[in-house]
Amino acid sequence: MTDDPMAQRRQLRDRLRQARRAVTPASRNHAADGLARQLTSLAFAPSSGPVAGYWASDGEVSLEPWRARLPGSCTYCLPVLGDDGQLRFAPYGDGTPLRPNRFGIPEPDLPVSRWLRPIDMALVVLPLVGFDLEGERLGMGGGWYDRSFAFRHGRPGSPWMVGAAFDLQAVPRLPAQAWDVPLDAVCTESITLDFRPSHRSPE
Ligand SMILES: Nc1nc2c(c(=O)[nH]1)N(C=O)[C@@H](CNc1ccc(C(=O)N[C@@H](CCC(=O)O)C(=O)O)cc1)CN2
Ligand SMILES: Nc1ncnc2c1ncn2[C@@H]1O[C@H](COP(=O)(O)OP(=O)(O)OP(=O)(O)O)[C@@H](O)[C@H]1O
């Protein structure tokens, strides 16, 4: 073990990414269906507008069953890496052309004029590497979501930020970091944790 918090974070990230990749295909399908049910049942699930998912990679739990259940008036989008270090979101449906980004993750191959800004989204589902029961999250470490949604600090409401993960990605305690963008909820295959201030249980 090391005393360096960043090194601890890296070790935890490696361990959880490995655990995520080791989930069997049958459990993976089951989890994706359960996750779709949890996401669909969110109290603040939008009935219309742009919603952001992700293209599952590196063992991430799939959002395809959720995408299939979205109301027709919602526009499903995937993240696109902007040159300015901020995410953009591009509509994705069956048949949308894709091209891999610098991490090998497919992005919609659409003109910039079709891209939406973080603030345009009604709901964003973030791929988690780890989470704790207080709503702290561990991501891939690039800071993409933290930078892109920094405007959500102290500003409740849309775009709602919801982390998605397998149950096995829960960890006892993650240290809060000043730049971590607050999660409104975490959904897994079996639970929803609601972190909105009005829904927190009293101390
Ligand atoms: N499916 C999915 N899409 C996503 C993310 C994600 O976590 N999952 N992102 C979430 O932020 C953004 C992309 N950020 C990422 C940051 C790091 C790595 C990654 O694989 N890093 C490798 C090193 C790769 C390299 O240096 O070339 C690694 O750490 O092993 C991937 C995506 C936007 N899209
Ligand atoms: N608003 C911001 N402006 C500039 N840099 C930021 C901002 N938010 C985060 N960062 C940087 O991004 C990096 C995020 O690292 P961290 O380990 O917290 O990532 P993470 O929790 O895995 O989240 P993510 O999924 O967003 O990558 C840090 O180096 C941090 O300094």
Side-chain angles (χ1 to χ4, degrees):
M1 261 310 258
T2 161
D3 288 338
D4 173 8
M6 285 318 277
Q8 286 178 9
R9 224 172 147 77
R10 251 192 331 269
Q11 284 178 1
L12 184 60
R13 185 178 283 124
D14 289 348
R15 180 168 71 71
L16 290 167
R17 286 179 62 182
Q18 216 172 342
R20 193 169 75 170
R21 286 193 297 263
V23 176
T24 63
S27 303
R28 202 168 269 297
N29 287 339
H30 179 76
D33 285 340
L35 174 64
R37 264 194 299 280
Q38 299 290 333
L39 289 171
T40 306
S41 308
L42 282 168
F44 47 82
S47 54
S48 65
V51 300
Y54 55 82
W55 183 280
S57 79
D58 190 46
E60 289 164 347
V61 57
S62 170
L63 292 182
E64 284 298 286
W66 176 58
R67 181 169 76 86
R69 292 172 61 149
L70 276 176
S73 41
C74 282
T75 306
Y76 184 80
C77 298
L78 289 174
V80 174
L81 307 179
D83 293 339
D84 57 356
Q86 307 260 338
L87 292 173
R88 301 289 187 282
F89 296 92
Y92 171 77
D94 298 333
T96 304
L98 293 164
R99 65 182 288 175
N101 66 22
R102 74 180 82 146
F103 301 114
I105 304 174
E107 295 180 349
D109 190 11
L110 295 175
V112 178
S113 59
R114 302 280 310 276
W115 295 3
L116 299 167
R117 297 165 305 168
I119 202 156
D120 299 323
M121 309 312 291
L123 173 85
V124 180
V125 180
L126 294 76
L128 302 182
V129 174
F131 66 96
D132 72 13
L133 303 185
E134 306 292 319
E136 298 305 331
R137 112 192 137 86
L138 183 65
M140 290 295 277
W144 285 93
Y145 285 96
D146 287 330
R147 282 191 303 275
S148 306
F149 293 93
F151 65 85
R152 269 290 325 262
H153 285 282
R155 181 179 174 284
S158 111
W160 300 103
M161 306 292 285
V162 180
F166 295 104
D167 287 339
L168 62 81
Q169 291 170 255
V171 297
R173 197 78 180 91
L174 285 170
Q177 310 203 76
W179 57 77
D180 279 335
V181 109
L183 287 181
D184 297 300
V186 165
C187 293
T188 69
E189 65 270 39
S190 54
I191 52 152
T192 291
L193 301 169
D194 195 326
F195 301 118
R196 289 175 297 161
S198 55
H199 286 69
R200 277 184 187 278
S201 45
E203 296 292 322

